[in-house]
Amino acid sequence: SFTPWPPRNGDDDDDDGKMTPTFIGPLALVVLLILEVSTGAPAPRRISNVFSSRSSFPFSSSSSSSSLSPLVRRVHRMPILRSRRRTLSNAAEVKGIPSWDTLASKLPKAAPKMALDTALEASKPHDLLDSSNGGNLVLFRDRNGWCPYSERVWLGLMVKRLEFDEVLVDNQGYKPNWYYECVGSGSTPAVKWEDGSFQTESLDILYELDRRYPSPDNDQNPQQPLLAPEHLKEDIKRIVRSFRDIFPRNTRPSSRSAFLFRGSGVLPREEFEATLDSTDALLGESKGPFFLGEKITLADIAWVPFLERYSIQLPLLYENLYPRDATRWPNLARFYDALESEFDVSGYYARVQGDLHSWAKVLASAGYGNAGHAPKLLEKYGNDENFHLVPSYAEERGGSEERRKILWRHYRELNTNNAERMCQTPREEAAAKIIRNHAAILKDATRYLSAEPEDADTALRAITSAIQNGLDPVDAARELRTALEGRREGQDDGVLLQVTSDLSKYLQSRICIPRDMGALPAFEYRRCLDAIICAA
């Protein structure tokens, strides 16, 4: 589904995230191919990430569909709406669909705290690096949220409930010279401490977080828990060392396909099963859902990014190989469930975790660690329209909608310094992402859809309202259809419904998690879009 990023020095990414692969959604690729054909100019090296005014992502593309994967070739051949011309007045509006101002009026008054993206703003951020008057804690991580080592530190900061600034680093493209001056290796993750010093290596940073920000009672204080309590340190070190023994040897720990490939092929099924068996047994030594009991510790954080990827990617490679299968690996299933339901780690599901569609698409791209070739997925999951069929990712994931609202509320409560910047529910947070960036989304989407701007604007407002209003997705989709059918005289029957359906599919394909939002709001976003597509 995605174009490969050429590896440097014949390799992909190293053990601490120096080279994090990235991808581009197939529909966005079509936009670029259309632009290239229509203008005669090469497709630009970058396009803006429409879901963030301060983020973009690198890509390389070809105007020849023969060089693309089967799914991209299929999308490349897809007829677009260029032949469908509107006969409406440009001023046509549909009754019942709110304006952008009305939608924006429901957002928090305080603007969200934005991460600095060095791919777009390469100048040195003196305000973030200056420590003369007591500087801020700053996390430097990969810009897509795919580097597993960056994820470790990101999650650790969330668990400790610390306020920090973020700088997003382009691990594939240009890194500004000032970053090498601060971090000699240029790798991610890195942290700038409040005293102005820098530190790299994910596990070292996690231990240092406890030293610099100790819990008031030197235990798991709920206000600032320790990641490695003194009485558990030896056990934590043992479990971290066990990771190296349990996960497959002589494989690449690459960001997007960690511990899956050896040489030019996918590991045999038996090796994955042995890894899951040993992991489940290690978890079984504890009475709680985590490696050392009821509370998450540094030991869990070290494992989480890799188990997260396995939970989604292994079922795409082998029939009935589900790490979340509670009948075969009950302790692993309990571990996964706790990550997505325990209040104390709500920051993981709410913001840090990637989702099924994004990790599946990453795997389906031409592979780093797989001799540059995309691995063959099971036929029934062979394209992004079928990724939702992977078991254990049904509606129950994360509990009921009420449970997800409670998790989000707790996430806001744990982030007291930023709570006023966050929406009240995950659905509102997902809608806010569209509202704040609707102009860029429309500009990008209409070039692919070839819909009239007025139609696309109306459809996007209707979609956003359906996501934002908090109704059950089916009810929201029904109301949306009713509103769109309340057209003014002279409207082309069915055009708005078609544009809305196509735009919803575009929004599904274009988003990347956790780059654009966390898995919890993304779950609501995708669920509502699916219902809208069916209704339209």
Side-chain angles (χ1 to χ4, degrees), residues 242-249 258-259 275 279 303 306-307 310:
S242 296
F243 177 86
R244 300 187 180 95
D245 297 330
I246 290 176
F247 264 67
R249 295 178 179 272
F259 300 101
T275 296
T279 304
W303 285 66
F306 306 98
L307 291 176
Y310 263 24

Side-chain angles (χ1 to χ4, degrees), residues 134 216 273:
E273 291 177 330

Side-chain angles (χ1 to χ4, degrees), residues 395-534:
E395 288 292 301
E396 294 76 19
R397 186 166 183 247
S400 65
E401 183 166 0
E402 185 59 30
R403 174 69 175 180
R404 292 191 293 273
K405 287 180 180 179
I406 294 173
L407 279 171
W408 183 261
R409 184 170 68 243
H410 199 73
Y411 170 58
R412 293 179 73 247
E413 292 171 355
L414 294 180
N415 289 268
T416 54
N417 295 320
N418 293 309
E420 64 178 7
R421 304 172 186 270
M422 300 163 63
C423 294
Q424 296 291 325
T425 68
R427 289 185 67 167
E428 291 173 1
E429 188 74 11
K433 203 70 175 179
I434 301 176
I435 294 168
R436 292 183 177 119
N437 299 283
H438 69 271
I441 294 172
L442 285 168
K443 183 178 179 180
D444 193 53
T446 52
R447 285 184 292 185
Y448 161 69
L449 297 174
S450 290
E452 292 296 316
E454 294 79 14
D455 288 346
D457 182 85
T458 298
L460 188 60
R461 285 186 287 112
I463 291 168
T464 306
S465 177
I467 295 174
Q468 186 184 56
N469 63 24
L471 295 175
D472 177 88
V474 175
D475 293 335
R478 189 180 296 116
E479 284 201 2
L480 181 148
R481 183 181 180 95
T482 300
L484 291 176
E485 288 179 336
R487 56 193 179 280
R488 285 172 42 169
E489 184 178 355
Q491 284 184 302
D492 184 1
D493 188 15
V495 167
L496 274 177
L497 286 173
Q498 182 64 53
V499 172
T500 302
S501 176
D502 290 340
L503 186 56
S504 296
K505 294 173 184 177
Y506 163 86
L507 292 171
Q508 280 280 41
S509 176
R510 191 71 166 87
I511 195 172
C512 171
I513 310 303
R515 183 191 67 197
D516 300 316
M517 64 181 75
L520 182 51
F523 179 89
E524 305 292 353
Y525 170 98
R526 292 192 189 279
R527 193 167 68 115
C528 198
L529 286 176
D530 283 341
I532 290 169
I533 292 168
C534 292

Side-chain angles (χ1 to χ4, degrees), residues 30 33 62-65 68 71-78:
V30 174
L33 295 173
S62 169
S63 59
S64 171
S65 64
L68 304 176
L71 175 59
V72 176
R73 287 201 299 271
R74 179 164 54 83
V75 175
H76 182 56
R77 296 192 300 266
M78 186 184 298

Side-chain angles (χ1 to χ4, degrees), residues 141-374:
R141 64 176 177 85
D142 81 293
R143 60 200 310 272
N144 288 307
W146 293 348
C147 167
Y149 307 96
S150 292
E151 182 176 340
R152 282 175 170 175
V153 179
W154 193 11
L155 177 56
L157 289 165
M158 288 284 191
V159 171
K160 284 194 73 74
R161 304 164 199 178
L162 296 171
E163 185 173 9
F164 59 97
D165 291 306
E166 293 179 87
V167 176
L168 307 181
V169 179
D170 187 354
N171 281 336
Q172 284 69 51
Y174 170 77
K175 294 179 182 177
N177 290 333
W178 64 259
Y179 186 62
Y180 287 99
E181 294 171 3
C182 297
V183 181
S185 64
S187 64
T188 59
V191 162
K192 192 219 74 165
W193 302 109
E194 291 169 335
D195 61 9
S197 62
F198 286 80
Q199 187 166 6
T200 58
E201 302 299 332
S202 60
L203 294 178
D204 293 343
I205 293 171
L206 292 174
Y207 281 114
E208 185 67 10
L209 283 172
D210 273 356
R211 192 186 74 80
R212 290 179 179 260
Y213 307 98
S215 180
D217 59 5
N218 203 32
D219 203 345
Q220 289 290 73
N221 185 290
Q223 298 306 313
Q224 197 174 85
L226 288 173
L227 304 179
E230 193 63 37
H231 67 286
L232 293 176
K233 276 191 175 178
E234 291 306 313
D235 285 327
I236 288 173
K237 291 177 181 178
R238 173 180 59 84
I239 291 171
V240 170
R241 287 194 301 269
S242 296
F243 177 86
R244 300 187 180 95
D245 297 330
I246 290 176
F247 264 67
R249 295 178 179 272
N250 301 318
T251 55
R252 288 299 302 163
S254 64
S255 297
R256 66 180 183 179
S257 55
F259 300 101
L260 295 180
F261 304 112
R262 180 180 295 126
S264 60
V266 178
L267 296 180
R269 180 191 186 104
E270 293 73 19
E271 286 199 51
F272 292 130
E273 291 177 330
T275 296
L276 297 177
D277 287 342
S278 297
T279 304
D280 190 76
L282 188 61
L283 281 165
E285 297 175 6
S286 166
K287 294 181 180 179
F290 299 110
F291 279 108
L292 293 172
E294 297 294 330
K295 299 289 185 180
I296 191 170
T297 67
L298 189 151
D300 304 287
I301 293 171
W303 285 66
V304 162
F306 306 98
L307 291 176
E308 174 186 322
R309 289 152 179 75
Y310 263 24
S311 71
I312 293 173
Q313 293 177 335
L314 291 188
L316 298 170
L317 296 171
Y318 285 106
E319 191 76 41
N320 298 323
L321 184 58
Y322 310 128
R324 300 181 70 138
D325 182 356
T327 59
R328 180 165 185 183
W329 295 295
N331 300 310
L332 255 176
R334 184 174 58 165
F335 177 82
Y336 285 121
D337 290 343
L339 286 172
E340 294 175 356
S341 60
E342 292 294 325
F343 290 148
D344 290 343
V345 290
S346 56
Y348 173 70
Y349 190 24
R351 184 63 192 98
V352 176
Q353 184 185 23
D355 77 344
L356 182 148
H357 285 76
S358 296
W359 283 127
K361 285 185 175 184
V362 164
L363 179 62
S365 59
Y368 299 91
N370 189 36
H373 304 292

